Every structure is written in structure tokens, then in C-alpha cells.
Amino acid sequence: MISAVILAAGSSARMGQANKLMLNYQGRPLVRNVVETITSSKASEVIVVTGHEASTITAALEGLDVVFAHNASHSEGIMSSRRKGIQAATKSASGYMVCLADLPCVESYEVDQLIESFQQVRVGDCRAIVRPTHRGLPGHPIIFAGYYRPMLLSAQDGRTLVQLHGAHLTNIPWPTHHVTRDVDSPEAYRRVSAPASSIPFI
């Protein structure tokens, strides 16, 4: 089984006063768009880690089949949220898919393709790590084999974990920018919100 952990606890400081996860995207809160995508995929379970404005995020996701894990220490950074999500996930999962809550362009079929790629790689490597890349840029979600659960629960950050176990990393070249287009600034939000024809393909 694949456990998806969606990190939705941050304060989105670079966005200014607005909580980026509650910005409108295609007629609904951005975070709901992302979570609906993951819940519609082949992920076996979906854990949403909340922190900043947790009740607002929870309300925005009402009715979705997710498990909430609140991170009271979200100000300590993304690693503390990842740890909280992994703690809430099934211990025997074959893979943990770490997802960003501000990546609204990714579609469920793309998540399924990534999961299928991971399952294929894991047949020959029980320590597999699978990551999408677009034009050489690393993207998300990233799937770690269940082998890494103890390390994902530690203070070690994801980039260091990937570097230390690079021999087991498979980068999957992705045809779209969806996996790299996160919303971390007003300009980034403008780009994902604009009509597709007006956004330069990067």
C-alpha cells in the first residue's frame, strides 16, 4: 500500500498575509484541489498534516476521505510536519508519498503514474526512492520505500535523505511542469491562476 502524507501545516509567510492554501483555485480552496487529486489517486490512505489555521484547513476539506494529523510544532519547519504525518500513516506501508499542499497543477492520473513507477522500481529495489523531474528540476510528490520509515521519523531532512541514498533514487522525467509549479509567492499564484494560454511553458 502507498500512504500519502500531504503537508498542509505551514504559515505561507512568503505569500504575505493570505493563507495560500485557502486561495481560490478553479472555484475552490487551493488545498481542497490538491487533496481531492490525491484522494482520487491510487494512494491507499491520505494523511493531511495541519498546523497554521488548522480549523480553517480542516473545514475546507470537509467530506473528503482523509485522516488529519495536527502538528502543534509546525513553526519548527517542514520536517516536523513530515514526521507527524509519517507517525499517523500505516506502519506497514510499502511506500510513503510525501506531497506538498501547494502543488495544484498535478492531476490524479499523474499521481497514479508516479505510484506505478515506484511499484515497478521497488520490485528490484526494496529501498527505492522515486522522484519526478521536469527539465532537470526536482519535483513532487516523492515516494520513499517503507524501508525509510525510521529515517523519515527522524530529524533528517528529505534532501539529505535523498543524497545519502542516491544509489536508490530513480528520477522520472516528467512531461509537464505540474510537478515543479508550487505556489509559494503572489507571482507563483498569479501564474497558476492565469488562463493556460497566457502562461509561458517552463
Side-chain angles (χ1 to χ4, degrees):
M1 70 178 290
I2 302 296
S3 295
V5 174
I6 304 177
L7 306 178
S11 61
S12 59
R14 284 180 287 180
M15 185 60 73
Q17 294 184 346
N19 183 338
K20 64 182 178 182
L21 299 184
M22 293 303 298
L23 294 174
N24 177 65
Y25 183 77
Q26 297 183 347
R28 56 196 188 279
L30 187 147
V31 67
R32 187 174 182 97
N33 180 282
V34 173
V35 176
E36 284 182 350
T37 294
I38 304 300
T39 56
S40 298
S41 75
K42 293 180 179 178
S44 306
E45 64 179 0
V46 179
I47 314 298
V48 178
V49 184
T50 61
H52 177 66
E53 296 186 357
S55 59
T56 301
I57 300 299
T58 301
L61 302 178
E62 184 178 0
L64 297 183
D65 185 17
V66 302
V67 173
F68 291 103
H70 181 65
N71 179 18
S73 303
H74 64 88
S75 60
E76 295 178 5
I78 196 169
M79 287 184 291
S80 67
S81 293
R82 186 194 66 193
R83 184 166 57 248
K84 182 65 69 171
I86 299 297
Q87 286 173 345
T90 299
K91 293 181 180 179
S92 59
S94 61
Y96 297 98
M97 182 167 63
V98 180
C99 313
L100 302 182
D102 65 345
L103 210 67
C105 298
V106 173
E107 299 188 40
S108 58
Y109 79 88
E110 294 182 292
V111 177
D112 288 344
Q113 289 175 353
L114 190 66
I115 290 173
E116 289 167 6
S117 294
F118 169 77
Q119 291 170 334
Q120 291 170 7
V121 173
R122 188 175 174 274
V123 169
D125 184 0
C126 66
R127 301 184 184 185
I129 302 172
V130 168
R131 176 178 67 183
T133 63
H134 179 65
R135 297 190 176 182
L137 295 176
H140 280 83
I142 301 176
I143 306 181
F144 296 89
Y147 168 85
Y148 296 100
R149 180 181 172 88
M151 286 159 271
L152 290 167
L153 288 170
S154 75
Q156 193 174 69
D157 91 7
R159 285 171 296 185
T160 300
L161 190 59
V162 169
Q163 290 168 356
L164 289 174
H165 300 273
H168 302 282
L169 171 66
T170 298
N171 285 314
I172 309 294
W174 219 251
T176 72
H177 63 280
H178 296 171
V179 296
T180 57
R181 183 156 286 179
D182 57 330
V183 178
D184 58 4
S185 67
E187 173 61 17
Y189 175 59
R190 184 196 67 77
R191 288 171 62 82
V192 301
S193 301
S197 60
S198 68
I199 301 176
F201 189 86
I202 295 178

